[in-house]
Amino acid sequence: MSRLTTARQQNTPSFISGKKRVQKKWLHASLGIFTLITIPFSHATTNSDELVTTAQDQKHLVVTIYNDNLALIKDTRRLILDRARNNLAWREVSAQIRPETALLRNLTAPTGFHLLEQNFDFDLLTPRKLLEKHVGKAVTVVRTHPTTGEETKENATLLSVNEGVILKFDDRIENNPPGRIVFPGVPENLRDRPTLLIALISPSQGKHNLELSYLTEGLSWHADYVAALNEDDSHLDLNGLVTLTNQSGVTYPQAELQLVAGDVHRVQPARRLTRKTMAMAAEAIDAAQMKEESLFEYHLYTLQRPTTLADNQTKQVALMSAANIAVSKEYVLQGGDYYYTGMYTAIGQKLKTSVLVRFLNKGAGLGIPLPKGIIRVYKKDTQGNSQFIGEDQIDHTPRNEQVRLRLGNAFDVTADKVQTDFQQIAGTLRHTSIYETAYQITLRNAKKETITVHVREPIPGDWAVLSESSPHTKLSAGMAEWQIAVPAESEATLNYRVRVNY
């Protein structure tokens, strides 16, 4: 393809804070796969009376991200305004901005500063959009002779772009003709990136610091934790990371980053289109740089240095670090409430027992509110290699609260459960009934050390334990627990009888 020519048209302002002028050029695209190649986008989409501001004008940028795909952006820029009316094109805003939340303030001269109107242009300049905007309009088709390289031009009207390009020439209509299409210009309101258009009244001419704040979707964060258990499962080391994801359609350079942990109530907006698949990045930062403080009924975490959140990127920053945390390990056999009002024979054989570890959010390195996230636990084998042994989700955990992690099922600890008796003392199946049921639970331990199994039984209705081989604890109105010691490489048996008024 030969080098494309350009045609000059009326001058338009460049995308800078002042009012410099540049020439507007014709836009070219090839048929089939359309490639924009002539007009610099930042010069192709402005109106003659617009004052354009970009990220180059930024003086301060604060990004506050919430847990549920929501962020508050505060973008401060220094601009030269005219006295009275200004038409401001604010570029590098989020593609997922909620424009109804946008608020522009004049930090330099707030008195006499008025907002007249604002519009959000999200119809972006793409080859497809350029074609769609020219349907019914005149374009030029340029063909190049394959041998001589000579170019010929022919005017046509663009009739349709549905499933191909249809052009009407003076004497014919063609579908996807050879050559390339030359457009006379870029239609108004078709921009290369999302732009917030603001009409405002400035009280004076000169330099002004303007702050634009708005809510946006496409930014989210969650906590990820990595724990390392010691050899005898009595202590662990815990490191917390914050995982940030930016799919908002814009990069936030050198931003002051703040994170809000808590369940903030919001009215759900209409669903928006998702962005492209994100890229991945990671960044290790000293944990001491994440400062925590209370904010209303939530908790705010502030990164103690600016950071850049690139579009379509995931970044990790350190949240906390603690070593030698005392933990306890539990084996739990969880029952069900369905077999207390009916007759069953064998309820289960070789039932699995869950393995849990728990620790107190207190002490050196801990004692800060832990945001909800996933804790992944590792342990070194006899060769010194760290092995993954399980993970669990935690909710927001305040100071001095217990953290309980279910890591999986014990391989060497199993149980058999049998109903040994069932009696309906009174009532019918459809009315209030009284049942007495008896059970035998045999716990087996193939490990080389004695363990304690927590047998937890949810019992419905009004209930009472009539007899038992080991004492129980009533954890709640509907939960009984027996703690049974099971010797190494041996077994232990729990027998109990319950009366249920159901």
Side-chain angles (χ1 to χ4, degrees), residues 242-286:
V242 169
T243 301
L244 309 162
T245 301
N246 179 12
Q247 295 177 292
S248 67
V250 69
T251 295
Y252 304 92
Q254 295 298 300
E256 179 183 325
L257 178 64
Q258 296 182 306
L259 310 174
V260 175
D263 300 318
V264 179
H265 181 265
R266 53 187 293 227
V267 177
Q268 293 298 322
R271 293 180 63 86
R272 298 175 182 265
L273 296 177
T274 58
R275 302 294 297 175
K276 298 182 298 182
T277 304
M278 60 190 174
M280 297 295 293
E283 184 171 331
I285 299 176
D286 183 1

Side-chain angles (χ1 to χ4, degrees), residues 144-217:
T144 303
H145 194 280
T147 304
T148 65
E150 181 182 358
E151 290 187 345
T152 59
K153 299 179 181 180
E154 190 175 9
N155 294 329
T157 301
L158 183 59
L159 297 182
S160 175
V161 294
N162 295 323
E163 300 182 6
V165 177
I166 301 176
L167 294 169
K168 181 181 182 299
F169 296 88
D170 290 339
D171 58 349
R172 68 195 185 279
I173 294 176
E174 291 191 30
N175 179 34
N176 291 331
R180 65 183 186 275
I181 296 179
V182 179
F183 299 94
V186 177
E188 188 176 357
N189 298 330
L190 190 60
R191 299 177 181 268
D192 64 310
R193 65 191 67 183
T195 302
L196 190 66
L197 305 177
I198 306 170
L200 58 90
I201 298 294
S202 174
S204 60
Q205 193 276 339
K207 295 182 178 180
H208 293 257
N209 290 329
L210 302 185
E211 180 193 76
L212 177 67
S213 61
Y214 59 89
L215 294 174
T216 179
E217 297 177 356

Side-chain angles (χ1 to χ4, degrees), residues 15-17 42 52-61 73 75-79 88-94 193-195 210 212 214 250-255 308-309:
F15 274 75
I16 55 176
S17 298
S42 59
V52 181
T53 174
T54 69
Q56 294 181 351
D57 303 320
Q58 282 177 347
K59 296 301 179 183
H60 191 214
L61 182 62
I73 310 299
D75 185 354
T76 303
R77 303 183 184 183
R78 189 166 181 82
L79 309 175
L88 180 61
W90 195 291
R91 291 162 60 84
E92 278 88 31
V93 297
S94 166
R193 65 191 67 183
T195 302
L210 302 185
L212 177 67
Y214 59 89
V250 69
T251 295
Y252 304 92
Q254 295 298 300
T308 296
L309 299 178

Side-chain angles (χ1 to χ4, degrees), residues 5-309:
T5 59
T6 61
R8 296 184 178 180
Q9 285 194 331
Q10 183 179 357
N11 291 343
T12 57
S14 64
F15 274 75
I16 55 176
S17 298
K19 293 192 174 179
K20 297 181 181 179
R21 317 286 286 189
V22 298
Q23 291 183 338
K24 187 174 182 180
K25 301 180 180 181
W26 289 47
L27 181 65
H28 300 258
S30 63
L31 286 171
I33 301 176
F34 301 95
T35 308
L36 310 181
I37 58 178
T38 300
I39 297 181
F41 290 159
S42 59
H43 296 176
T45 58
T46 59
N47 297 321
S48 58
D49 62 344
E50 281 185 357
L51 169 62
V52 181
T53 174
T54 69
Q56 294 181 351
D57 303 320
Q58 282 177 347
K59 296 301 179 183
H60 191 214
L61 182 62
V62 181
V63 178
T64 303
I65 308 177
Y66 299 81
N67 284 125
D68 53 351
N69 190 33
L70 182 71
L72 173 64
I73 310 299
K74 289 189 176 182
D75 185 354
T76 303
R77 303 183 184 183
R78 189 166 181 82
L79 309 175
I80 299 177
L81 299 180
D82 289 336
R83 189 177 182 275
R85 184 181 176 109
N86 293 261
N87 294 321
L88 180 61
W90 195 291
R91 291 162 60 84
E92 278 88 31
V93 297
S94 166
Q96 299 193 50
I97 182 178
R98 295 175 58 182
E100 72 277 9
T101 68
L103 174 65
L104 184 67
R105 296 194 304 150
N106 191 324
L107 304 181
T108 302
T111 303
F113 181 82
H114 300 291
L115 178 67
L116 300 178
E117 181 181 296
Q118 66 183 30
N119 301 283
F120 178 51
D121 281 359
F122 54 86
D123 213 0
L124 299 184
L125 178 61
T126 65
R128 179 72 183 181
K129 283 291 184 182
L130 190 60
L131 283 168
E132 291 175 352
K133 294 291 185 179
H134 280 85
V135 171
K137 299 180 180 179
V139 295
T140 301
V141 178
V142 180
R143 295 183 176 90
T144 303
H145 194 280
T147 304
T148 65
E150 181 182 358
E151 290 187 345
T152 59
K153 299 179 181 180
E154 190 175 9
N155 294 329
T157 301
L158 183 59
L159 297 182
S160 175
V161 294
N162 295 323
E163 300 182 6
V165 177
I166 301 176
L167 294 169
K168 181 181 182 299
F169 296 88
D170 290 339
D171 58 349
R172 68 195 185 279
I173 294 176
E174 291 191 30
N175 179 34
N176 291 331
R180 65 183 186 275
I181 296 179
V182 179
F183 299 94
V186 177
E188 188 176 357
N189 298 330
L190 190 60
R191 299 177 181 268
D192 64 310
R193 65 191 67 183
T195 302
L196 190 66
L197 305 177
I198 306 170
L200 58 90
I201 298 294
S202 174
S204 60
Q205 193 276 339
K207 295 182 178 180
H208 293 257
N209 290 329
L210 302 185
E211 180 193 76
L212 177 67
S213 61
Y214 59 89
L215 294 174
T216 179
E217 297 177 356
L219 283 161
S220 60
W221 75 277
H222 63 270
D224 288 285
Y225 303 89
V226 176
L229 272 174
N230 65 353
E231 183 177 358
D232 61 359
D233 302 335
S234 62
H235 292 79
L236 61 77
D237 298 335
L238 182 66
N239 290 283
L241 296 172
V242 169
T243 301
L244 309 162
T245 301
N246 179 12
Q247 295 177 292
S248 67
V250 69
T251 295
Y252 304 92
Q254 295 298 300
E256 179 183 325
L257 178 64
Q258 296 182 306
L259 310 174
V260 175
D263 300 318
V264 179
H265 181 265
R266 53 187 293 227
V267 177
Q268 293 298 322
R271 293 180 63 86
R272 298 175 182 265
L273 296 177
T274 58
R275 302 294 297 175
K276 298 182 298 182
T277 304
M278 60 190 174
M280 297 295 293
E283 184 171 331
I285 299 176
D286 183 1
Q289 292 182 335
M290 190 66 79
K291 180 183 178 182
E292 180 272 334
E293 62 182 284
S294 295
L295 174 69
F296 188 58
E297 297 301 320
Y298 317 120
H299 286 274
L300 180 69
Y301 301 83
T302 302
L303 185 63
Q304 298 299 292
R305 67 160 186 84
T307 188
T308 296
L309 299 178

